[in-house]
mmCIF file of all heavy atoms in Angstrom:
data_model
loop_
_atom_site.group_PDB
_atom_site.id
_atom_site.type_symbol
_atom_site.label_atom_id
_atom_site.label_comp_id
_atom_site.label_asym_id
_atom_site.label_seq_id
_atom_site.Cartn_x
_atom_site.Cartn_y
_atom_site.Cartn_z
ATOM 1 N N ASP W 1 97.459 -37.797 -82.324
ATOM 2 C CA ASP W 1 97.646 -37.765 -80.871
ATOM 3 C C ASP W 1 99.119 -38.060 -80.584
ATOM 4 O O ASP W 1 99.511 -39.228 -80.462
ATOM 5 C CB ASP W 1 96.736 -38.785 -80.194
ATOM 6 C CG ASP W 1 96.786 -38.742 -78.676
ATOM 7 O OD1 ASP W 1 97.839 -38.346 -78.115
ATOM 8 O OD2 ASP W 1 95.788 -39.107 -78.042
ATOM 9 N N PRO W 2 99.942 -37.016 -80.481
ATOM 10 C CA PRO W 2 101.388 -37.223 -80.302
ATOM 11 C C PRO W 2 101.754 -38.023 -79.058
ATOM 12 O O PRO W 2 102.730 -38.780 -79.084
ATOM 13 C CB PRO W 2 101.939 -35.795 -80.215
ATOM 14 C CG PRO W 2 100.931 -34.948 -80.899
ATOM 15 C CD PRO W 2 99.607 -35.603 -80.638
ATOM 16 N N GLU W 3 101.009 -37.906 -77.996
ATOM 17 C CA GLU W 3 101.322 -38.638 -76.766
ATOM 18 C C GLU W 3 101.168 -40.144 -76.973
ATOM 19 O O GLU W 3 102.045 -40.924 -76.609
ATOM 20 C CB GLU W 3 100.428 -38.153 -75.627
ATOM 21 C CG GLU W 3 100.825 -38.693 -74.272
ATOM 22 C CD GLU W 3 99.985 -38.085 -73.168
ATOM 23 O OE1 GLU W 3 99.982 -36.845 -73.039
ATOM 24 O OE2 GLU W 3 99.330 -38.866 -72.451
ATOM 25 N N ARG W 4 100.061 -40.546 -77.568
ATOM 26 C CA ARG W 4 99.860 -41.979 -77.859
ATOM 27 C C ARG W 4 100.887 -42.478 -78.863
ATOM 28 O O ARG W 4 101.428 -43.569 -78.726
ATOM 29 C CB ARG W 4 98.462 -42.221 -78.405
ATOM 30 C CG ARG W 4 97.394 -42.197 -77.379
ATOM 31 C CD ARG W 4 96.076 -42.548 -78.003
ATOM 32 N NE ARG W 4 95.020 -42.382 -77.022
ATOM 33 C CZ ARG W 4 93.808 -42.848 -77.156
ATOM 34 N NH1 ARG W 4 93.471 -43.493 -78.254
ATOM 35 N NH2 ARG W 4 92.912 -42.667 -76.218
ATOM 36 N N ALA W 5 101.142 -41.679 -79.883
ATOM 37 C CA ALA W 5 102.111 -42.078 -80.904
ATOM 38 C C ALA W 5 103.497 -42.259 -80.294
ATOM 39 O O ALA W 5 104.233 -43.169 -80.668
ATOM 40 C CB ALA W 5 102.142 -41.041 -82.029
ATOM 41 N N ALA W 6 103.855 -41.422 -79.336
ATOM 42 C CA ALA W 6 105.165 -41.525 -78.680
ATOM 43 C C ALA W 6 105.277 -42.821 -77.878
ATOM 44 O O ALA W 6 106.337 -43.453 -77.868
ATOM 45 C CB ALA W 6 105.397 -40.322 -77.781
ATOM 46 N N ARG W 7 104.202 -43.229 -77.233
ATOM 47 C CA ARG W 7 104.226 -44.505 -76.485
ATOM 48 C C ARG W 7 104.440 -45.676 -77.441
ATOM 49 O O ARG W 7 105.214 -46.591 -77.163
ATOM 50 C CB ARG W 7 102.936 -44.674 -75.675
ATOM 51 C CG ARG W 7 102.868 -43.780 -74.454
ATOM 52 C CD ARG W 7 101.780 -44.207 -73.497
ATOM 53 N NE ARG W 7 100.445 -44.168 -74.076
ATOM 54 C CZ ARG W 7 99.580 -43.153 -73.960
ATOM 55 N NH1 ARG W 7 99.918 -42.091 -73.275
ATOM 56 N NH2 ARG W 7 98.394 -43.221 -74.509
ATOM 57 N N TYR W 8 103.753 -45.624 -78.568
ATOM 58 C CA TYR W 8 103.924 -46.667 -79.579
ATOM 59 C C TYR W 8 105.360 -46.662 -80.119
ATOM 60 O O TYR W 8 105.997 -47.704 -80.221
ATOM 61 C CB TYR W 8 102.923 -46.462 -80.719
ATOM 62 C CG TYR W 8 103.209 -47.311 -81.919
ATOM 63 C CD1 TYR W 8 102.887 -48.666 -81.918
ATOM 64 C CD2 TYR W 8 103.817 -46.783 -83.050
ATOM 65 C CE1 TYR W 8 103.159 -49.466 -83.021
ATOM 66 C CE2 TYR W 8 104.096 -47.572 -84.149
ATOM 67 C CZ TYR W 8 103.767 -48.906 -84.128
ATOM 68 O OH TYR W 8 104.046 -49.709 -85.205
ATOM 69 N N ALA W 9 105.872 -45.472 -80.439
ATOM 70 C CA ALA W 9 107.221 -45.352 -80.992
ATOM 71 C C ALA W 9 108.282 -45.853 -80.030
ATOM 72 O O ALA W 9 109.313 -46.371 -80.446
ATOM 73 C CB ALA W 9 107.494 -43.896 -81.384
ATOM 74 N N ALA W 10 108.034 -45.720 -78.744
ATOM 75 C CA ALA W 10 109.000 -46.194 -77.746
ATOM 76 C C ALA W 10 108.967 -47.715 -77.612
ATOM 77 O O ALA W 10 109.989 -48.344 -77.329
ATOM 78 C CB ALA W 10 108.713 -45.544 -76.398
ATOM 79 N N ALA W 11 107.812 -48.319 -77.823
ATOM 80 C CA ALA W 11 107.650 -49.760 -77.599
ATOM 81 C C ALA W 11 107.913 -50.617 -78.837
ATOM 82 O O ALA W 11 108.290 -51.778 -78.708
ATOM 83 C CB ALA W 11 106.239 -50.041 -77.078
ATOM 84 N N SER W 12 107.734 -50.062 -80.018
ATOM 85 C CA SER W 12 107.820 -50.896 -81.222
ATOM 86 C C SER W 12 109.224 -51.363 -81.608
ATOM 87 O O SER W 12 109.365 -52.466 -82.135
ATOM 88 C CB SER W 12 107.144 -50.186 -82.403
ATOM 89 O OG SER W 12 107.756 -48.958 -82.660
ATOM 90 N N PRO W 13 110.303 -50.602 -81.371
ATOM 91 C CA PRO W 13 111.623 -51.069 -81.822
ATOM 92 C C PRO W 13 112.035 -52.437 -81.275
ATOM 93 O O PRO W 13 112.669 -53.217 -82.000
ATOM 94 C CB PRO W 13 112.578 -49.976 -81.340
ATOM 95 C CG PRO W 13 111.742 -48.749 -81.313
ATOM 96 C CD PRO W 13 110.390 -49.230 -80.852
ATOM 97 N N ALA W 14 111.698 -52.752 -80.051
ATOM 98 C CA ALA W 14 112.082 -54.049 -79.489
ATOM 99 C C ALA W 14 111.454 -55.195 -80.276
ATOM 100 O O ALA W 14 112.099 -56.225 -80.494
ATOM 101 C CB ALA W 14 111.693 -54.127 -78.017
ATOM 102 N N THR W 15 110.209 -55.018 -80.724
ATOM 103 C CA THR W 15 109.571 -56.086 -81.500
ATOM 104 C C THR W 15 110.196 -56.192 -82.882
ATOM 105 O O THR W 15 110.379 -57.290 -83.398
ATOM 106 C CB THR W 15 108.050 -55.874 -81.621
ATOM 107 O OG1 THR W 15 107.770 -54.707 -82.403
ATOM 108 C CG2 THR W 15 107.393 -55.758 -80.263
ATOM 109 N N VAL W 16 110.529 -55.058 -83.493
ATOM 110 C CA VAL W 16 111.173 -55.060 -84.806
ATOM 111 C C VAL W 16 112.502 -55.816 -84.731
ATOM 112 O O VAL W 16 112.782 -56.700 -85.544
ATOM 113 C CB VAL W 16 111.390 -53.607 -85.301
ATOM 114 C CG1 VAL W 16 112.324 -53.570 -86.500
ATOM 115 C CG2 VAL W 16 110.057 -52.955 -85.635
ATOM 116 N N GLU W 17 113.313 -55.483 -83.745
ATOM 117 C CA GLU W 17 114.619 -56.119 -83.594
ATOM 118 C C GLU W 17 114.493 -57.618 -83.346
ATOM 119 O O GLU W 17 115.308 -58.402 -83.844
ATOM 120 C CB GLU W 17 115.385 -55.457 -82.459
ATOM 121 C CG GLU W 17 115.809 -54.045 -82.800
ATOM 122 C CD GLU W 17 116.369 -53.284 -81.610
ATOM 123 O OE1 GLU W 17 116.663 -53.902 -80.565
ATOM 124 O OE2 GLU W 17 116.494 -52.051 -81.731
ATOM 125 N N ARG W 18 113.483 -58.014 -82.600
ATOM 126 C CA ARG W 18 113.281 -59.430 -82.290
ATOM 127 C C ARG W 18 113.067 -60.261 -83.556
ATOM 128 O O ARG W 18 113.365 -61.455 -83.588
ATOM 129 C CB ARG W 18 112.082 -59.576 -81.347
ATOM 130 C CG ARG W 18 111.992 -60.919 -80.675
ATOM 131 C CD ARG W 18 110.950 -60.947 -79.570
ATOM 132 N NE ARG W 18 111.322 -60.007 -78.520
ATOM 133 C CZ ARG W 18 110.491 -59.100 -77.971
ATOM 134 N NH1 ARG W 18 109.255 -59.029 -78.354
ATOM 135 N NH2 ARG W 18 110.900 -58.288 -77.026
ATOM 136 N N TYR W 19 112.560 -59.638 -84.614
ATOM 137 C CA TYR W 19 112.310 -60.345 -85.872
ATOM 138 C C TYR W 19 113.352 -60.022 -86.942
ATOM 139 O O TYR W 19 113.145 -60.250 -88.122
ATOM 140 C CB TYR W 19 110.883 -60.055 -86.359
ATOM 141 C CG TYR W 19 109.877 -60.815 -85.535
ATOM 142 C CD1 TYR W 19 109.465 -60.332 -84.293
ATOM 143 C CD2 TYR W 19 109.394 -62.047 -85.946
ATOM 144 C CE1 TYR W 19 108.582 -61.046 -83.504
ATOM 145 C CE2 TYR W 19 108.513 -62.770 -85.168
ATOM 146 C CZ TYR W 19 108.107 -62.259 -83.943
ATOM 147 O OH TYR W 19 107.234 -62.982 -83.159
ATOM 148 N N GLY W 20 114.477 -59.479 -86.512
ATOM 149 C CA GLY W 20 115.584 -59.230 -87.426
ATOM 150 C C GLY W 20 115.475 -57.948 -88.214
ATOM 151 O O GLY W 20 116.226 -57.750 -89.177
ATOM 152 N N GLY W 21 114.564 -57.060 -87.823
ATOM 153 C CA GLY W 21 114.392 -55.813 -88.550
ATOM 154 C C GLY W 21 115.326 -54.723 -88.058
ATOM 155 O O GLY W 21 115.820 -54.772 -86.932
ATOM 156 N N ARG W 22 115.569 -53.760 -88.942
ATOM 157 C CA ARG W 22 116.351 -52.589 -88.553
ATOM 158 C C ARG W 22 115.786 -51.376 -89.268
ATOM 159 O O ARG W 22 115.409 -51.444 -90.445
ATOM 160 C CB ARG W 22 117.828 -52.767 -88.837
ATOM 161 C CG ARG W 22 118.193 -52.802 -90.293
ATOM 162 C CD ARG W 22 119.699 -53.065 -90.472
ATOM 163 N NE ARG W 22 120.021 -53.024 -91.882
ATOM 164 C CZ ARG W 22 120.701 -52.060 -92.472
ATOM 165 N NH1 ARG W 22 121.154 -51.046 -91.770
ATOM 166 N NH2 ARG W 22 120.950 -52.087 -93.762
ATOM 167 N N TYR W 23 115.722 -50.285 -88.545
ATOM 168 C CA TYR W 23 115.174 -49.048 -89.089
ATOM 169 C C TYR W 23 116.173 -48.426 -90.061
ATOM 170 O O TYR W 23 117.343 -48.261 -89.743
ATOM 171 C CB TYR W 23 114.875 -48.053 -87.968
ATOM 172 C CG TYR W 23 113.671 -48.443 -87.155
ATOM 173 C CD1 TYR W 23 113.786 -49.278 -86.057
ATOM 174 C CD2 TYR W 23 112.407 -47.982 -87.497
ATOM 175 C CE1 TYR W 23 112.684 -49.644 -85.304
ATOM 176 C CE2 TYR W 23 111.288 -48.340 -86.760
ATOM 177 C CZ TYR W 23 111.431 -49.172 -85.670
ATOM 178 O OH TYR W 23 110.333 -49.532 -84.934
ATOM 179 N N LEU W 24 115.684 -48.065 -91.237
ATOM 180 C CA LEU W 24 116.484 -47.335 -92.215
ATOM 181 C C LEU W 24 116.097 -45.863 -92.222
ATOM 182 O O LEU W 24 116.924 -45.006 -92.502
ATOM 183 C CB LEU W 24 116.305 -47.933 -93.609
ATOM 184 C CG LEU W 24 116.699 -49.398 -93.760
ATOM 185 C CD1 LEU W 24 116.468 -49.859 -95.189
ATOM 186 C CD2 LEU W 24 118.152 -49.613 -93.360
#
């Protein structure tokens, strides 16, 4: 479901960054 996946993809980076993560 690309629409749901896009909502998740938009929201998840802020949580990753909050815990010191960075996308490779």
Side-chain angles (χ1 to χ4, degrees):
D1 185 332
E3 189 175 302
R4 283 184 186 194
R7 286 195 299 264
Y8 168 77
S12 60
T15 66
V16 167
E17 291 170 13
R18 195 170 297 132
Y19 285 81
R22 69 183 183 108
Y23 287 88
L24 300 180

